[in-house]
Amino acid sequence: MSTHESDVHTISPELPAMFDGMKLAAVATVLYILVRCLNLKSPTAPPDLTYQDTALNRFLLKSCPQLTKEYIPPLLWGKSGHLQTALYGKLGRVSSPHPSGVRKYLPMQDGATATFDLFEPMGDHRTGDDITMVICPGIGNHSEKHYIRTFVDHAQKDGYRCAVLNHLGALPNIELTSPRMFTYGCTWEFAAMVGYIKRTYPQTQLMVVGFSLGGNIVCKFLGENRMNQERVLCCVSVCQGYSALRAQETFLQWDQFRRFYNFLMADNMKKIILSHKHSLFGGSPVKLKELDLGRLYTATSLMQIDDNIMRKFHGHSSLKEYYEKESCVHYIHNVNVPLLLVNAADDPLVHNSLLTIPRTLAAKKPNVIFSLTLHGGHLGFFEGAVLFPQPLTWMDKVIVGYANAMCQWEKQKPPCQSGPLSPSSCAEEKA
């Protein structure tokens, strides 16, 4: 046998082994990337809570187990804040119900027409009281969004009437009646809805609920005027950012792909604005000029849209002024009703630096509980075993659970706490 033939017979058996090794390396690399991207090694845990040790807070935490028990997202993808956010953004919810409501139209002083949908309870509330949840959705959202429908259906079944604000300009088939649409912190439409509920149902008590941008609006509304807190039992805010001025810097960063999310939300805002092009840019008096329209087409971030379009609806002279005046961070300390603030640590839209605001507030004010989950993304909070999520999310359950606990507290609280909540309302007994 020649030397050349011997070499061939010596090397060829090693080739399959080498290719097998490459396959194993490739598989290992893919698995490593999946584990890192899906955050599979992250543990599950109960929410991290910040609160003062008061009789009310102890009662709420005891009566609302979702706040103290482990939140378990779907095993294969639920620990990724991006996938939780993407599923919420694309699908909203799984097997979303279709609650039946009545649309109400409210004329505003500036010629605008606010709309909201009213859903009656499916049965009596467990306390026998008349309770209405007044709900403010996220940016560009309305009562027809799947996550809103899922939550409303869940609340109705527990005996709550629900009133859901449709952000001005958000409904695709409702024309604007004035050259103005919703902004980051304008409370006019929400105030009109709350006023209607109070007049129409003089015996009802209110639960205020806000999602994302809606959380900013409801907290600002309650803090703007003490009278806005009358007949309000409590407020729940989920996944808001608290300060638009501080958030704008983080939205330009690529950390957690925040700049990419900024682009997507800006693109959605452009579509909403352009769908009302004639109402906003035409007619007389003209509030927005053709130059603003040209800048809108080229905008790639929410800040550019806010600076060229949104701030001008209320005459703000600069973007900084707009963000300062419309952020709840300057009003939320005036809220004295029980307040539950919920965020997720892996929310790709809300930077961790913004969470010092609710954490500090909860440490200083006895009426505030700040709940920070390890997972959940932005308005995701899906629950499930391995792959498929449940129709109801942890978020839906915790809001209704907290509301039920507040109603129960109102029924059995000490007489000395029958007035507005304050640290000096009465001497609390240790549990």
Side-chain angles (χ1 to χ4, degrees), residues 399-415:
I399 297 174
V400 172
Y402 179 84
N404 287 339
M406 271 306 310
C407 292
Q408 189 179 350
W409 168 265
E410 286 295 311
K411 281 291 186 183
Q412 64 182 56
K413 68 182 180 182

Side-chain angles (χ1 to χ4, degrees), residues 156-375:
Q156 281 181 294
K157 290 176 179 175
D158 258 56
Y160 293 96
R161 179 186 299 108
C162 295
V164 182
L165 180 70
N166 300 309
H167 284 300
L168 198 62
L171 281 170
N173 300 319
I174 303 294
E175 292 292 331
L176 294 175
T177 58
S178 74
R180 179 176 69 84
M181 57 181 291
F182 77 92
T183 59
Y184 178 67
C186 178
T187 60
W188 295 354
E189 290 79 49
F190 188 76
M193 180 180 75
V194 170
Y196 176 92
I197 295 298
K198 286 183 175 180
R199 292 190 303 271
T200 308
Y201 305 96
Q203 301 303 317
T204 196
Q205 293 177 295
L206 304 181
M207 302 275 187
V208 180
V209 181
F211 300 101
S212 192
L213 171 141
N216 177 74
I217 289 176
V218 300
C219 290
K220 181 172 177 281
F221 166 75
L222 292 176
E224 283 176 334
N225 191 324
R226 192 173 182 85
M227 291 181 63
N228 293 343
Q229 300 177 49
E230 292 179 358
R231 291 168 58 185
V232 173
L233 290 179
C234 65
C235 174
V236 181
S237 162
V238 184
C239 287
Q240 70 150 308
Y242 305 96
S243 172
L245 188 63
R246 289 169 59 173
Q248 69 163 335
E249 300 173 2
T250 69
F251 260 104
L252 294 175
Q253 301 168 358
W254 280 100
D255 175 49
Q256 292 292 316
F257 301 101
R258 204 167 287 109
R259 183 64 180 87
F260 178 65
Y261 286 107
N262 187 1
F263 173 80
L264 293 179
M265 290 190 292
D267 188 60
N268 186 56
M269 278 299 300
K270 280 198 282 189
K271 291 177 181 176
I272 295 175
I273 294 171
L274 291 174
S275 70
H276 299 287
K277 180 179 174 181
H278 177 73
S279 300
L280 296 175
F281 296 90
S284 179
V286 179
K287 278 203 171 187
L288 301 173
K289 301 176 182 178
E290 288 299 320
L291 179 61
D292 299 320
L293 183 60
R295 289 171 177 167
L296 174 65
Y297 282 117
T298 59
T300 60
S301 71
L302 285 174
M303 285 69 76
Q304 291 172 322
I305 295 175
D306 288 341
D307 193 21
N308 291 305
I309 305 292
M310 309 305 285
R311 69 173 175 84
K312 298 178 181 179
F313 290 137
H314 295 283
H316 295 296
S317 61
S318 67
L319 185 64
K320 180 180 179 182
E321 179 187 288
Y322 169 66
Y323 284 157
E324 284 185 338
K325 293 290 181 63
E326 301 227 343
S327 294
C328 76
V329 67
H330 303 296
Y331 302 89
I332 197 170
H333 60 277
N334 295 325
V335 179
N336 294 317
V337 299
L339 176 61
L340 174 64
L341 304 173
V342 178
N343 287 93
D346 65 352
D347 186 337
L349 304 185
V350 180
H351 193 272
N352 285 338
S353 63
L354 298 171
L355 301 181
T356 58
I357 297 171
R359 187 176 287 112
T360 301
L361 186 73
K364 289 182 177 179
K365 288 182 67 72
N367 61 304
V368 182
I369 296 177
F370 173 50
S371 172
L372 181 66
T373 60
L374 198 57
H375 309 109

Side-chain angles (χ1 to χ4, degrees), residues 73-145:
L75 178 64
L76 292 184
W77 55 268
K79 296 178 181 179
S80 166
H82 296 292
L83 290 181
Q84 288 254 17
T85 303
L87 188 59
Y88 145 73
K90 193 67 179 176
L91 297 179
R93 290 293 180 259
V94 179
S95 303
S96 179
H98 295 268
S100 178
V102 178
R103 183 153 295 164
K104 302 291 184 178
Y105 298 81
L106 303 175
M108 307 293 289
Q109 289 185 352
D110 66 343
T113 303
T115 69
F116 71 94
D117 285 23
L118 188 61
F119 303 87
E120 292 297 331
M122 295 183 184
D124 294 335
H125 192 269
R126 63 187 64 194
T127 62
D129 293 332
D130 187 303
I131 313 291
T132 302
M133 286 193 175
V134 284
I135 302 164
C136 192
I139 183 171
N141 290 175
H142 44 75
S143 61
E144 297 175 9
K145 291 293 182 179

